[in-house]
Amino acid sequence: MYSSVHLSVIVMLLSILSFSGCTKIIEVNLNDADPQVVIEANVQNSSGPHYVQISKTVNYSASNQFPAVTGARVIIKDLTGGVADTLTEIQQGLYASRIITGVAGRTYQLEVTTGGKSYSAQSKMPAAAQLDSVSFEKISRPGSKTDWYAVINYQDPAGINNYYLFTLFVNGRRINNTFVYDDRFSDGRYVSRTLRTDSAYINPGDSVRVLMQHMGKEGFDYYSSFSQVTGNGALQTISPANPNSNLTGGALGYFIASYTSTRRTVAR
């Protein structure tokens, strides 16, 4: 129903995993509380459609069944280009844009009204930063087969703070590790970084794809704080905790404008 890039972004943005030791520690609170509205939204560097998913939390001890929020009024505005787009609900709780185009350097605003309450957020899409290639690190372990890990290679733009989110796919299957990095120790450098997973998923001949999102600090803070709660990297949603959010009005979640690129290769 959706393109592979957009669908992978929707799935990826509902999950979090471990992130690098370069990040700062952010305190978050686990709690059992009344249900809260959850908004998960991303504008990419494309003509769209761009998606907004709206649901409600469940308590930390409850099963991961998250009620969809239907009938919301959802608007994305391109504040730089002066365009407003009222999204269409294409399935319960999932809203799609029609005319908004994601362009690097532009600022976008999300407005959501549901249940008599309003929520909003702004995000500026960073300048282009491309994932150049994916290579492999091979680690031989005594008495076992060689472990293969993907290595991401890219140029970090110099002189500005940059924040990245990476997701790994092997033979079309998303690996349950999402990687969040900043450039505090790599500003302006060419970066080659191994994506360490909780297990070796790659074998010779496998098709490997890495999705890279260059995003603002609001996205980095959200994913980093969430990552500290999930810890072990299992597929999660945002209901167990209150990670940092750039949304006003008391909603959980995020609105992120990200410059996205992807690279595919074969492990050999």
Side-chain angles (χ1 to χ4, degrees), residues 21 23 25-26 34 54 57 85 94 102 135 138 151 155 175 183 199:
T23 57
I25 299 300
I26 302 170
D34 292 334
I54 309 176
T57 61
D85 189 352
L94 183 63
S135 53
K138 306 168 189 178
V151 179
Q155 176 65 51
I175 303 304
D183 67 345
S199 182

mmCIF file of all heavy atoms in Angstrom, residues 21 23 25-26 34 54 57 85 94 102 135 138 151 155 175 183 199:
data_model
loop_
_atom_site.group_PDB
_atom_site.id
_atom_site.type_symbol
_atom_site.label_atom_id
_atom_site.label_comp_id
_atom_site.label_asym_id
_atom_site.label_seq_id
_atom_site.Cartn_x
_atom_site.Cartn_y
_atom_site.Cartn_z
ATOM 1 N N GLY A 21 27.411 5.225 22.881
ATOM 2 C CA GLY A 21 27.878 5.787 24.135
ATOM 3 C C GLY A 21 28.200 7.257 24.037
ATOM 4 O O GLY A 21 28.595 7.861 25.030
ATOM 5 N N THR A 23 26.065 9.597 23.585
ATOM 6 C CA THR A 23 24.910 10.399 23.938
ATOM 7 C C THR A 23 24.923 10.771 25.409
ATOM 8 O O THR A 23 25.502 10.089 26.244
ATOM 9 C CB THR A 23 23.608 9.643 23.632
ATOM 10 O OG1 THR A 23 23.625 8.411 24.338
ATOM 11 C CG2 THR A 23 23.510 9.376 22.141
ATOM 12 N N ILE A 25 23.025 11.352 29.080
ATOM 13 C CA ILE A 25 21.965 10.665 29.813
ATOM 14 C C ILE A 25 20.826 11.626 30.065
ATOM 15 O O ILE A 25 21.028 12.748 30.526
ATOM 16 C CB ILE A 25 22.493 10.110 31.140
ATOM 17 C CG1 ILE A 25 23.600 9.102 30.866
ATOM 18 C CG2 ILE A 25 21.374 9.484 31.956
ATOM 19 C CD1 ILE A 25 23.153 7.918 30.038
ATOM 20 N N ILE A 26 19.599 11.195 29.762
ATOM 21 C CA ILE A 26 18.401 11.991 29.972
ATOM 22 C C ILE A 26 17.471 11.211 30.897
ATOM 23 O O ILE A 26 17.161 10.053 30.638
ATOM 24 C CB ILE A 26 17.681 12.286 28.635
ATOM 25 C CG1 ILE A 26 18.637 13.022 27.683
ATOM 26 C CG2 ILE A 26 16.418 13.097 28.858
ATOM 27 C CD1 ILE A 26 18.115 13.147 26.275
ATOM 28 N N ASP A 34 -3.291 7.792 33.471
ATOM 29 C CA ASP A 34 -4.420 7.833 32.555
ATOM 30 C C ASP A 34 -3.902 7.833 31.120
ATOM 31 O O ASP A 34 -2.806 8.325 30.847
ATOM 32 C CB ASP A 34 -5.254 9.082 32.806
ATOM 33 C CG ASP A 34 -5.957 9.046 34.151
ATOM 34 O OD1 ASP A 34 -6.203 7.924 34.648
ATOM 35 O OD2 ASP A 34 -6.238 10.123 34.699
ATOM 36 N N ILE A 54 -1.748 8.413 15.171
ATOM 37 C CA ILE A 54 -2.249 8.903 16.456
ATOM 38 C C ILE A 54 -2.905 7.750 17.198
ATOM 39 O O ILE A 54 -3.761 7.045 16.653
ATOM 40 C CB ILE A 54 -3.255 10.059 16.274
ATOM 41 C CG1 ILE A 54 -2.660 11.146 15.361
ATOM 42 C CG2 ILE A 54 -3.617 10.667 17.622
ATOM 43 C CD1 ILE A 54 -3.626 12.277 15.053
ATOM 44 N N THR A 57 -1.963 5.842 24.860
ATOM 45 C CA THR A 57 -1.105 4.964 25.641
ATOM 46 C C THR A 57 -1.937 3.965 26.435
ATOM 47 O O THR A 57 -3.140 4.146 26.663
ATOM 48 C CB THR A 57 -0.258 5.756 26.640
ATOM 49 O OG1 THR A 57 -1.126 6.448 27.551
ATOM 50 C CG2 THR A 57 0.637 6.764 25.927
ATOM 51 N N ASP A 85 -1.582 21.737 4.561
ATOM 52 C CA ASP A 85 -2.137 20.489 4.037
ATOM 53 C C ASP A 85 -2.959 19.818 5.128
ATOM 54 O O ASP A 85 -2.437 19.482 6.197
ATOM 55 C CB ASP A 85 -0.983 19.575 3.599
ATOM 56 C CG ASP A 85 -1.452 18.348 2.835
ATOM 57 O OD1 ASP A 85 -2.664 18.103 2.754
ATOM 58 O OD2 ASP A 85 -0.573 17.617 2.323
ATOM 59 N N LEU A 94 -4.334 6.494 11.257
ATOM 60 C CA LEU A 94 -3.216 6.786 10.376
ATOM 61 C C LEU A 94 -3.653 7.826 9.343
ATOM 62 O O LEU A 94 -4.600 7.611 8.585
ATOM 63 C CB LEU A 94 -2.727 5.525 9.670
ATOM 64 C CG LEU A 94 -1.496 5.706 8.775
ATOM 65 C CD1 LEU A 94 -0.286 6.142 9.587
ATOM 66 C CD2 LEU A 94 -1.191 4.414 8.018
ATOM 67 N N GLY A 102 8.578 17.617 1.262
ATOM 68 C CA GLY A 102 9.667 17.807 2.208
ATOM 69 C C GLY A 102 10.906 18.334 1.507
ATOM 70 O O GLY A 102 11.402 17.723 0.554
ATOM 71 N N SER A 135 29.381 -1.058 4.123
ATOM 72 C CA SER A 135 30.386 -2.111 4.004
ATOM 73 C C SER A 135 30.202 -3.079 5.168
ATOM 74 O O SER A 135 29.183 -3.021 5.869
ATOM 75 C CB SER A 135 31.797 -1.513 3.968
ATOM 76 O OG SER A 135 32.019 -0.655 5.068
ATOM 77 N N LYS A 138 33.944 -8.099 9.642
ATOM 78 C CA LYS A 138 33.856 -9.538 9.873
ATOM 79 C C LYS A 138 34.697 -9.898 11.088
ATOM 80 O O LYS A 138 35.881 -9.584 11.150
ATOM 81 C CB LYS A 138 34.344 -10.308 8.646
ATOM 82 C CG LYS A 138 33.635 -9.900 7.357
ATOM 83 C CD LYS A 138 34.319 -10.462 6.133
ATOM 84 C CE LYS A 138 33.746 -9.869 4.853
ATOM 85 N NZ LYS A 138 34.440 -10.369 3.646
ATOM 86 N N VAL A 151 28.607 -1.796 8.287
ATOM 87 C CA VAL A 151 29.358 -0.585 8.600
ATOM 88 C C VAL A 151 28.798 0.550 7.754
ATOM 89 O O VAL A 151 28.701 0.432 6.524
ATOM 90 C CB VAL A 151 30.860 -0.757 8.305
ATOM 91 C CG1 VAL A 151 31.617 0.540 8.608
ATOM 92 C CG2 VAL A 151 31.438 -1.914 9.115
ATOM 93 N N GLN A 155 29.724 11.324 5.260
ATOM 94 C CA GLN A 155 30.424 12.564 5.603
ATOM 95 C C GLN A 155 29.531 13.395 6.519
ATOM 96 O O GLN A 155 28.404 13.732 6.167
ATOM 97 C CB GLN A 155 30.752 13.363 4.334
ATOM 98 C CG GLN A 155 31.394 14.716 4.601
ATOM 99 C CD GLN A 155 32.763 14.605 5.236
ATOM 100 O OE1 GLN A 155 33.616 13.868 4.733
ATOM 101 N NE2 GLN A 155 32.981 15.325 6.337
ATOM 102 N N ILE A 175 15.789 -5.380 11.324
ATOM 103 C CA ILE A 175 16.456 -5.918 12.497
ATOM 104 C C ILE A 175 16.133 -5.035 13.697
ATOM 105 O O ILE A 175 16.181 -3.815 13.605
ATOM 106 C CB ILE A 175 17.984 -5.992 12.276
ATOM 107 C CG1 ILE A 175 18.289 -6.833 11.033
ATOM 108 C CG2 ILE A 175 18.683 -6.557 13.503
ATOM 109 C CD1 ILE A 175 17.706 -8.238 11.071
ATOM 110 N N ASP A 183 27.133 14.082 16.542
ATOM 111 C CA ASP A 183 28.482 14.271 15.988
ATOM 112 C C ASP A 183 29.386 15.053 16.936
ATOM 113 O O ASP A 183 30.311 15.743 16.492
ATOM 114 C CB ASP A 183 28.411 14.967 14.630
ATOM 115 C CG ASP A 183 27.916 16.409 14.724
ATOM 116 O OD1 ASP A 183 27.355 16.789 15.771
ATOM 117 O OD2 ASP A 183 28.104 17.164 13.752
ATOM 118 N N SER A 199 22.845 -9.517 18.131
ATOM 119 C CA SER A 199 23.180 -10.825 17.591
ATOM 120 C C SER A 199 23.682 -10.616 16.168
ATOM 121 O O SER A 199 23.456 -9.556 15.569
ATOM 122 C CB SER A 199 21.970 -11.763 17.596
ATOM 123 O OG SER A 199 22.313 -13.041 17.122
#
